[in-house]
């Protein structure tokens, strides 16, 4: 079997594996809904807040806590939008460019999802605490119709991650807290997409891949506390992921029939980004707290997907460093009720000319409203609602099937992400013990 044909099938499938979480409510394929409290203020100031609800952003948040602290939350992510064809062409060997065909508009290709999270922290003494958070920062499901114009790059995709972050926080002094955590991350994925046969009259072939893997990263942070403000600085490392899976290619006819295969142990390596986070909380009055947060995402590490034997190929991605900016407020209406609001601006790491139908990311605004009810001195409930508006963006990455062989079939992609938005509803509870 030609290594070029193996490279095509494995490369396309593994590229699909890591590419399409962002259109729900995140930057690229990172989901930030790890706290219902934070969602209400559009995730502004999380690195500077305290307690287990902020462990994911900054493990220093638990240093010096005076009692046990646990939080659980769940977010319902309800995306909507269209991925539309504006004239995509396919060039089969020996032929002229022709319309790719199929359904020209796919509505709501990203499935609704439910994202759970939880954390707990326990003090060892008046300065040191241990904590654990369990989150799912990269999780999504997409479902393009079999006759979609985007079928050669996206069909059905399912990605689930579980991030386990054991942490320690220390109050070094009354004003200085430090913390560190280990990120143990499990990834499980399955996907499929169509492959073109050489003649337009023939039905498409298909490929399916399932893969998983465990990988590791780290988080470290510091908080500076003064009478009216808290500054939080933290860093989450990039994680190099290694996924191993089984690849099946079927339905190829004629000269391509020799590329039908079943491979085991196919491996791909890629990075998810680092995050450098700065958060600030300022007590403007006894009731009003102002929040701000800036995050630098090291998406430039996601420069390629490197596929091991028997493929031995690197697929360029060319993501760029990107940023998000958020501001918000907490207002204590009474000792029992706190209201929140916030807005966040996030810049996409994808670039024009490099964006395909499986990664239709764009710049977005996130508007949040929320609140907390203190049911007792130990139990609080959080609710939040977010509306995320995505800018229209081109889908314009040129790809090719069977690269490097006589059967090379370019796909001249010309499409658009349009009218995209998401509603996110979050609920959570926090318990002191």
């Amino acid at each position: 079997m030609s290594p070029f044909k193996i490279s095509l099938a494995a490369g396309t499938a593994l590229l699909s594996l890591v590419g399409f979480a962002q259109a729900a409510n995140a930057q690229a394929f990172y989901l930030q809904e790890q706290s219902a409290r934070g969602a209400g203020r559009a995730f502004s100031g999380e690195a500077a807040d305290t307690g287990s609800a902020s462990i994911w952003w900054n493990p220093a948040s638990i240093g010096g806590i005076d009692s046990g602290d646990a939080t659980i939350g769940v977010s319902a992510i309800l995306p909507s939008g269209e991925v539309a064809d504006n004239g995509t062409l396919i060039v089969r060997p020996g032929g002229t460019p022709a319309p790719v065909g199929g359904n020209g508009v796919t509505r709501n290709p990203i499935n609704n999802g439910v994202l759970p999270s939880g954390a707990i922290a326990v003090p060892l003494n008046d300065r040191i605490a241990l904590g654990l958070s369990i989150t799912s920062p990269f999780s999504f499901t997409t479902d393009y119709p079999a006759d979609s114009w985007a079928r050669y790059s996206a069909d059905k995709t399912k990605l689930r991650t579980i991030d386990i972050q054991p942490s320690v926080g220390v109050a070094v002094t009354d004003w200085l807290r430090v913390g560190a955590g280990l990120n143990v991350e499990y990834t499980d994925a399955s996907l499929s997409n169509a492959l073109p046969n050489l003649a337009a009259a023939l039905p498409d072939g298909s490929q399916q891949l399932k893969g998983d893997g465990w990988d590791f990263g780290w988080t470290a942070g510091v908080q500076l506390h003064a009478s009216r403000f808290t500054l939080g600085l933290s860093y989450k490392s990039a994680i190099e992921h290694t996924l191993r899976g089984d690849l099946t290619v079927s339905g190829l006819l004629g000269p391509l029939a020799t590329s039908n295969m079943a491979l085991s142990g196919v491996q791909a390596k890629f990075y998810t980004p680092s995050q450098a986070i700065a958060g600030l909380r300022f007590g403007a009055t006894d009731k009003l707290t102002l929040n701000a947060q800036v995050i630098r995402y090291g998406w430039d590490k996601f420069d390629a997907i490197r596929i091991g034997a028997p493929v031995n190929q690197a697929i360029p991605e060319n993501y760029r460093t990107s940023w998000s900016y958020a501001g918000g407020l907490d207002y204590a209406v009474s000792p029992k009720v706190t209201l929140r609001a916030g807005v966040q601006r996030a810049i996409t790491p994808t670039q024009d000319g490099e964006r395909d139908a499986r990664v239709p990311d764009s710049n977005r605004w996130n508007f949040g409203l929320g609140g907390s009810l203190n049911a007792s001195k130990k139990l609080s409930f959080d609710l939040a609602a977010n509306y995320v508006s995505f800018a229209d963006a081109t889908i314009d990455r040129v790809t090719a099937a069977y690269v490097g062989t006589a059967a090379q079939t370019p796909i001249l992609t010309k499409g658009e992400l349009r009218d995209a938005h998401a509603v996110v509803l979050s609920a959570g509870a926090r318990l002191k013990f």
Side-chain angles (χ1 to χ4, degrees):
M1 185 181 300
S2 166
F4 290 113
K5 294 178 181 179
I6 295 176
S7 175
L8 159 78
T12 303
L14 290 166
L15 168 63
S16 303
L17 185 67
V18 296
F20 193 40
Q22 68 273 13
N25 177 27
Q27 191 189 66
F29 46 94
Y30 163 59
L31 297 178
Q32 62 185 349
E33 285 74 17
Q34 314 304 341
S35 164
R37 180 181 71 180
R41 57 193 178 213
F43 305 100
S44 57
E46 306 319 300
D49 210 340
T50 58
S52 61
S54 285
I55 290 179
W56 167 259
W57 289 272
N58 191 347
S61 65
I62 61 174
I65 60 174
D66 57 9
S67 66
D69 180 5
T71 181
I72 58 172
V74 62
S75 295
I77 302 175
L78 312 173
S80 179
E82 295 182 347
V83 176
D85 182 22
N86 287 340
T88 298
L89 301 175
I90 183 171
V91 187
R92 288 184 164 86
T96 58
V100 72
N103 188 340
V105 178
T106 299
R107 294 179 174 85
N108 306 330
I110 307 171
N111 289 4
N112 296 339
V114 176
L115 187 69
S117 62
I120 188 171
V122 178
L124 298 182
N125 53 41
D126 61 348
R127 292 195 177 273
I128 303 173
L130 299 180
L132 180 73
S133 67
I134 301 177
T135 59
S136 185
F138 306 100
S139 296
F140 68 103
T141 302
T142 62
D143 190 357
Y144 279 83
D147 65 346
S148 169
W149 70 277
R151 62 194 180 276
Y152 296 129
S153 60
D155 183 11
K156 292 179 173 59
T157 309
K158 182 179 181 180
L159 175 66
R160 295 290 180 268
T161 60
I162 300 174
D163 184 282
I164 304 168
Q165 182 182 303
S167 303
V168 58
V170 180
V172 180
T173 69
D174 291 341
W175 59 270
L176 174 63
R177 297 174 183 175
V178 298
L182 175 68
N183 292 97
V184 182
E185 199 159 287
Y186 174 73
T187 303
D188 179 77
S190 62
L191 60 97
S192 63
N193 61 273
L195 293 173
N197 272 299
L198 296 181
L202 295 176
D204 289 329
S206 67
Q207 59 184 357
Q208 296 180 320
L209 176 71
K210 294 183 178 181
D212 64 353
W214 286 92
D215 303 285
F216 302 91
W218 54 271
T219 302
V222 61
Q223 287 186 344
L224 307 175
H225 292 256
S227 59
R228 283 197 171 271
F229 79 88
T230 302
L231 174 66
L233 303 172
S234 64
Y235 184 83
K236 299 186 75 68
S237 75
I239 297 180
E240 183 181 23
H241 294 264
T242 300
L243 301 185
R244 294 176 177 85
D246 300 324
L247 172 66
T248 302
V249 177
S250 61
L252 297 181
L253 305 173
L256 296 179
T258 56
S259 291
N260 293 319
M261 70 179 98
L263 294 176
S264 298
V266 177
Q267 176 178 291
K269 293 180 178 289
F270 62 94
Y271 282 90
T272 48
S274 62
Q275 296 181 45
I277 308 172
L280 177 68
R281 284 170 55 80
F282 175 70
T285 70
D286 292 341
K287 293 186 175 183
L288 176 63
T289 301
L290 304 179
N291 307 279
Q293 187 155 287
V294 177
I295 304 178
R296 178 192 182 274
Y297 297 88
W299 278 111
D300 55 318
K301 290 285 287 185
F302 188 54
D303 59 343
I305 301 169
R306 292 171 174 84
I307 306 170
V311 177
N312 297 317
Q313 181 188 13
I315 300 173
E317 290 301 325
N318 300 321
Y319 274 37
R320 60 186 176 183
T321 299
S322 58
W323 297 78
S324 68
Y325 313 88
L329 59 86
D330 297 50
Y331 186 78
V333 178
S334 71
K336 286 193 171 184
V337 177
T338 298
L339 299 181
R340 298 185 179 90
V343 61
Q344 180 189 60
R345 175 66 167 169
I347 307 302
T348 177
T350 62
Q351 304 186 64
D352 291 346
E354 300 282 352
R355 193 177 297 112
D356 69 8
R358 198 175 288 276
V359 191
D361 195 24
S362 67
N363 299 336
R364 80 289 313 276
W365 289 95
N366 178 2
F367 304 94
L369 290 173
S372 296
L373 172 66
N374 297 326
S376 69
K377 291 182 178 180
K378 295 184 178 294
L379 180 62
S380 300
F381 296 100
D382 302 313
L383 292 174
N386 297 76
Y387 179 81
V388 187
S389 175
F390 297 86
D392 292 353
T394 56
I395 297 172
D396 49 8
R397 183 175 185 175
V398 174
T399 60
Y402 320 114
V403 175
T405 73
Q408 180 166 311
T409 305
I411 311 295
L412 309 179
T413 305
K414 185 179 180 182
E416 181 183 18
L417 171 69
R418 65 192 188 196
D419 302 329
H421 63 272
V423 173
V424 183
L425 304 176
S426 302
R430 288 174 285 134
L431 176 68
K432 292 184 178 296
F433 56 91

